[in-house]
Amino acid sequence: MRLSRYYAPTLKETPAEAEVVSHKLLLRAGMIRKLTAGIYTYLPLGLKALNNVANIVREEMDRAGALEILMPAVQPADLWKESGRWEFYGRELLRFVDRHDRESCLGPTHEEVVTDLVRHEIRSYRQLPVNLYQIQMKFRDEIRPRFGLMRGREFVMKDAYSFDKDDAGADASYWAMYKAYARIFERLGLKFRAVSADSGAIGGSFSHEFMVLAATGEDTIASCPACDYGANLEKAEAVCPPPGQLAPCPAAETVATPGKHTVEEVAAFLGVDAKKIVKTLLYVADGKPVAALVRGDRALNEVKLKNLIDAKDLRLASPEEVVAATKAPVGFAGPVGLAGITLYADQELALENGWIVGANTADAHLRQVDLSRDAKVASFTDLREVAPGDPCPKCGAALAFTKGIEVGHVFKLGLKYSKALNATFLDEAGKEQFMIMGCYGIGVSRIVAACIEQNNDEAGIVFPPPIAPFEVALINLGPKDEAAVAKADELYDALNKAGVETLLDDRDERPGVKFKDADLMGFPIQLTLGGKGLARGIVETKDRRTGEKGELPLEGFLEAFMAWRENVRQGWGLE
């Protein structure tokens, strides 16, 4: 392709709407344009990058034995009501009514549709296992779409669904997809990590997220440098020794803490460490009040609490609800005498006594509190967020925190959807059984954005070769020089015939403009041909990743180029 004939409208200035690096660079490099909030048009360069990712995803899905289908984007409400997710999924599900007053939605995911498909076709264990996948535009009505392709309302996703006759088969399907995902990200040239994760609205028994590592990532990953343990912050396990025999502590007593609402204020006023204070956090779970207790220097992990009590909806109590429950201003809630509210405590709180807690009275706290004696705690369990340096739950080494961007998620769903939608088969004994399901998603468009978040510099995008719209930018500095034009065309044809996708910059522009555009668009390899180089019999090279420049001979160019290209690819960790 010749850049003079290509639609790639670059921008010198960053649009005010762009917040993160990938959004800024995708707009500036002429790869996407905004239509409306969270919805973008893919321009030719952006679509080529998107398709490059999709092609690798498709190849690895096929290699793993999954079969491609294409399901409708519009889904009937009846299926979602049958699964129980019509209300549970929340306002991100875009619901609408057609001219016949039938309720439908735009699919953010396709568990219901694919289960409905299979339940009408699969009758016998002999037809299992089955793994079906699609690559399709999805829609999620985000309340605040932002960050360009990172969190749009419309996005391209690969979703696959496995159906098995037993747990052994379901496990085999799960790990086959896990390995396929690892191959995908290795082939894309991305630095990534697979971590244990919460299943969220999809449901299921266990899952792993695939995270592209990037300093700008929204998610925090707790990982162990000494072993292969990794989990996102929602799922990371907090290690705690078993509680021992505690020495008895004196009876709880009230102490005045006038105007001291926060842990820090109370600790400073009483001259104690924040570790001796218990935070009492009031929540509303599916309409009912609950309280969670954590040490003063710790943060509550709301996902752990939600999973513990199996709540569909969990939110912090409003100030008015806190006052109604405690009969005290916000900041003085405590577990002692908190009537009508179930208490759940982090496991660390069972290791000691003599705690300081809110007194459920204005300007007062209680000290010398023994939670087992003075409060009615339903359970002591892991409820807190882990912190850097906490012991790894697998080997005991200190955990380290990194930032990542979720680009893939694999779930073992179990019977969640097959039971809800009655997807059954007859086993070897002729007995009806529910199919065991798995679900496997990859954000194809999100990978493009995550790649840029991981690979960029002050000049623009630095694409890995497998994702780049073109692997080579061939820059002709003499578009009016017949000899330079002829040689550039010769090199361009040779590269494309050798299977190296090349963009020829044949525009009548200043060299500086051409170099800046090539850097901005992120092509991994730059080849520059000018009058001086032509006279010397060389073409100049640049490795976009390292910035290293060199030369290749025009005599025997293709052979020399292919050898040098291999070194460039090895620098990306590519085979």
Side-chain angles (χ1 to χ4, degrees), residues 176-483:
M177 289 293 100
Y178 181 99
K179 292 174 182 177
Y181 275 38
R183 288 194 300 269
I184 287 167
F185 294 112
E186 287 166 1
R187 286 185 60 187
L188 290 172
L190 298 174
K191 298 181 181 71
F192 72 97
R193 181 127 191 188
V195 300
S196 297
D198 182 70
S199 296
I202 301 295
S205 53
F206 65 85
S207 68
H208 286 85
E209 286 176 344
F210 285 77
M211 312 286 283
V212 167
L213 305 180
T216 55
E218 290 185 281
D219 296 310
T220 300
I221 305 167
S223 59
C224 180
C227 72
D228 61 356
Y229 177 79
N232 68 21
L233 202 55
E234 294 177 342
K235 187 74 172 179
E237 302 169 51
V239 176
C240 185
Q245 186 68 34
L246 298 178
C249 71
E253 60 179 5
T254 303
V255 57
T257 53
K260 309 305 178 187
H261 299 268
T262 68
V263 168
E264 293 76 17
E265 290 171 344
V266 174
F269 183 75
L270 298 179
V272 300
D273 194 302
K275 293 179 180 180
K276 288 305 296 179
I277 297 173
V278 171
K279 289 190 288 193
T280 303
L281 304 170
L282 295 178
Y283 284 83
V284 177
D286 297 333
K288 297 180 180 179
V290 298
L293 312 178
V294 292
R295 212 170 70 184
D297 62 327
R298 300 297 196 184
L300 177 74
N301 186 318
E302 292 185 358
V303 172
K304 290 180 180 179
L305 175 62
K306 187 176 182 180
N307 290 340
L308 173 67
I309 61 180
D310 195 24
K312 292 183 178 179
D313 180 65
L314 180 74
R315 64 171 176 84
L316 269 172
S318 67
E320 294 76 17
E321 289 168 326
V322 172
V323 171
T326 65
K327 308 300 187 291
V330 173
F332 297 97
V336 180
L338 197 59
I341 298 177
T342 307
L343 299 175
Y344 300 96
D346 182 66
Q347 58 192 351
E348 277 187 322
L349 302 183
L351 302 179
E352 298 181 32
N353 54 24
W355 298 107
I356 296 168
V357 304
N360 296 319
T361 302
D363 298 328
H365 279 70
L366 297 177
R367 61 184 174 191
Q368 301 299 349
V369 169
D370 182 331
L371 291 174
S372 297
R373 178 192 68 194
D374 301 323
K376 296 179 180 179
V377 178
S379 67
F380 289 87
T381 190
D382 177 14
L383 288 179
R384 70 173 179 88
E385 285 187 356
V386 298
D390 279 354
C392 169
K394 190 170 181 179
C395 74
L399 291 174
F401 278 22
T402 53
K403 289 289 186 179
I405 301 166
E406 181 193 349
V407 289
H409 208 154
V410 291
F411 304 82
K412 185 179 179 184
L413 293 176
L415 305 179
K416 177 180 172 69
Y417 295 95
S418 55
K419 270 191 173 181
L421 280 78
N422 197 36
T424 62
F425 67 97
L426 296 179
D427 66 13
E428 292 91 331
K431 185 178 178 181
E432 194 171 65
Q433 304 285 356
F434 290 107
M435 301 177 204
I436 301 176
M437 291 178 59
C439 171
Y440 319 97
I442 274 187
V444 176
S445 50
R446 204 161 203 254
I447 286 174
V448 176
C451 165
I452 296 171
E453 292 291 330
Q454 186 181 86
N455 301 285
N456 67 83
D457 59 20
E458 66 282 354
I461 301 168
V462 186
F463 272 125
I467 299 178
F470 293 93
E471 187 174 357
V472 174
L474 175 56
I475 302 168
N476 180 9
L477 297 183
K480 295 180 179 179
D481 180 336
E482 290 185 6

Side-chain angles (χ1 to χ4, degrees), residues 151-163:
R151 185 172 289 182
R153 290 195 295 161
E154 193 176 68
F155 52 97
V156 179
M157 182 177 174
K158 186 283 303 179
D159 48 330
Y161 305 91
S162 62
F163 298 83

